[in-house]
Amino acid sequence: MTTVLIKTHEAWLEMLMAGSMSHTQNRQTLLDFSDILFRHFTWIEHEMIGTGEAYTYERDNIPVKVDRLDSILKNIILRLNELDLQLFGLKDKALSERISSDIHYMIEVLHGMNDEVVTAFAMERKFPGISLTQEATDALTIFLFEETYKEYELIMIYNYLKAHSDDAFLNRIFQILVDESFFHLKRFCDMAAKMGILAVPRVVMKELYQIEDVTQFLKDGIDEELAAKEECKRLSEAVAKDSPELEKFFDFINHQENYHIALMKDALAYFAKKDSNG
C-alpha cells in the first residue's frame, strides 16, 4: 500500500500543478480532480493506519516544466494508469473499486481536453495587468516561493495530525486548517503561474509532521502565523502603490491568519483542560 500512497500523492500534486498552469476552462476540472485525488490519498492513509502499516509522506520529484498543457496531461495519464495497476494492494475492495472508477473517468476527460500554451515557467516575473516596481516584484517573488511550500507543509502536517487522532474537537480544528491552507496554496500557485515562477513544493521532512509534542507545535505554530501576518502586511505595503487589488488581497490573507491563531489557541486550551483533568 505504500506504493499506492506515494503514487496517489504524486498524482494529486501533479494534477494541482496542471490546474494552476491552465488559463482555460480546463483549469477548474483539473483542480477538481486534484481535490478528488487528495481525498483518495487520505482514504488510503486511513486504511494503512487501520492495518498498522508504517508510512511517511515521502515521494519522488515531480517534473512539471512544460511548454504545452498536453505534455503534462500525458504524464498524468501515465501516472494514473500506473496507479490503477497498483490498486490490487488495497485490502478494502470497495475503496479500490471507487479509486479505479475515478481514475478511469479522469483519464477519459484528460484525453479529451484541448491543448494550450503554458507560460507558468517563463520566469518573466510580471503580474498580468499590473506594473509592479522592482522592489514589489522581488518581495512578491520571495513570498510566493516561501508560502507555496509553507501552505503545502501545513496541509501535510494537519492532515497527519487529523489522521492519527480520534478526537472530534481537535479534528474539526485540524480540518479547518487543512482547508484554509488548500485555499492559500491554490491562490499562491495561481499567482506564481501568472508570474511564470510556478514550482512544485519540496518534500516535507517526516520530522515536521510526525509530532510528539502537539502542544509545543501549536505554540510554535502561533508564532509562525504571527510572522506570516507580518509578511502579508509588508507585502501589502510593498504593492500598495502599484496595485490596490493585490494590497487588498494580502490584507485579506492577513486577516484570515487571525482565525487560524484563534483555532490554535482553542486547541491549546483544550489540551490544558484535558491535562488538568488528569
Side-chain angles (χ1 to χ4, degrees):
M1 283 194 289
T2 300
T3 300
V4 177
L5 188 73
I6 292 171
K7 296 303 179 184
T8 305
H9 190 168
E10 293 167 354
W12 153 50
L13 268 184
E14 191 167 17
M15 194 79 79
L16 175 63
M17 293 296 110
S20 299
M21 64 182 71
S22 172
H23 48 265
T24 70
Q25 62 185 5
N26 295 328
R27 173 183 174 80
Q28 190 56 56
T29 299
L30 291 167
L31 292 178
D32 287 344
F33 284 174
S34 174
D35 290 342
I36 291 171
L37 287 166
F38 181 75
R39 292 202 294 276
H40 291 174
F41 176 80
T42 64
W43 298 341
I44 296 164
E45 180 180 24
H46 178 75
E47 180 169 343
M48 294 181 73
I49 292 170
T51 60
E53 185 171 344
Y55 71 94
T56 68
Y57 289 155
E58 289 294 320
R59 57 173 172 80
D60 290 335
N61 292 327
I62 305 172
V64 296
K65 289 188 177 181
V66 296
D67 297 321
R68 311 281 309 189
L69 186 70
D70 191 53
S71 297
I72 193 168
L73 295 185
K74 288 178 180 177
N75 290 340
I76 293 173
I77 289 169
L78 288 173
R79 194 182 297 278
L80 291 175
N81 276 320
E82 182 181 357
L83 175 59
D84 193 34
L85 293 174
Q86 296 288 336
L87 291 175
F88 68 88
L90 296 181
K91 294 182 179 180
D92 185 337
K93 297 310 173 186
L95 175 59
S96 175
E97 290 172 4
R98 161 59 194 271
I99 294 175
S100 182
S101 175
D102 285 355
I103 285 174
H104 291 167
Y105 176 73
M106 289 179 192
I107 290 173
E108 183 179 356
V109 172
L110 295 180
H111 273 303
M113 279 189 172
N114 294 325
D115 192 18
E116 56 183 287
V117 175
V118 171
T119 59
F121 311 101
M123 297 298 291
E124 291 186 357
R125 297 206 306 145
K126 294 181 180 178
F127 205 87
I130 300 171
S131 180
L132 296 173
T133 64
Q134 189 63 48
E135 178 186 2
T137 298
D138 291 343
L140 183 54
T141 299
I142 293 170
F143 178 88
L144 291 174
F145 274 130
E146 291 179 346
E147 292 302 313
T148 50
Y149 168 72
K150 190 63 183 178
E151 297 299 343
Y152 169 67
E153 177 188 278
L154 290 174
I155 288 168
M156 304 317 294
I157 291 173
Y158 287 119
N159 180 72
Y160 192 89
L161 290 174
K162 180 175 180 288
H164 290 82
S165 168
D166 57 4
D167 188 302
F169 181 87
L170 292 174
N171 282 351
R172 172 184 172 273
I173 291 175
F174 295 151
Q175 187 60 56
I176 290 172
L177 293 171
V178 167
D179 292 342
E180 291 284 274
S181 289
F182 257 117
F183 170 72
H184 291 179
L185 177 62
K186 288 177 181 178
R187 291 303 300 270
F188 296 154
C189 282
D190 175 59
M191 295 174 74
K194 287 178 178 176
M195 293 185 71
I197 56 172
L198 183 65
V200 180
R202 63 187 181 275
V203 175
V204 180
M205 296 185 297
K206 64 181 181 180
E207 291 79 10
L208 293 176
Y209 52 83
Q210 293 181 349
I211 298 165
E212 295 183 4
D213 188 343
V214 179
T215 56
Q216 186 59 51
F217 164 75
L218 290 168
K219 291 175 183 177
D220 294 340
I222 290 172
D223 290 338
E224 290 185 7
E225 293 287 357
L226 290 170
K229 283 176 57 63
E230 289 302 314
E231 284 298 318
C232 284
K233 183 179 178 181
R234 281 195 289 270
L235 192 51
S236 174
E237 292 171 350
V239 302
K241 293 181 181 179
D242 304 321
S243 173
E245 178 185 351
L246 284 179
E247 178 190 16
K248 291 176 182 177
F249 171 74
F250 287 111
D251 284 342
F252 164 65
I253 297 295
N254 178 14
H255 294 148
Q256 288 188 337
E257 306 292 359
N258 293 333
Y259 187 52
H260 302 169
I261 291 170
L263 287 170
M264 285 187 277
K265 288 182 176 178
D266 286 347
L268 281 172
Y270 181 73
F271 276 114
K273 183 177 180 180
K274 286 181 67 176
D275 289 342
S276 66
N277 290 337

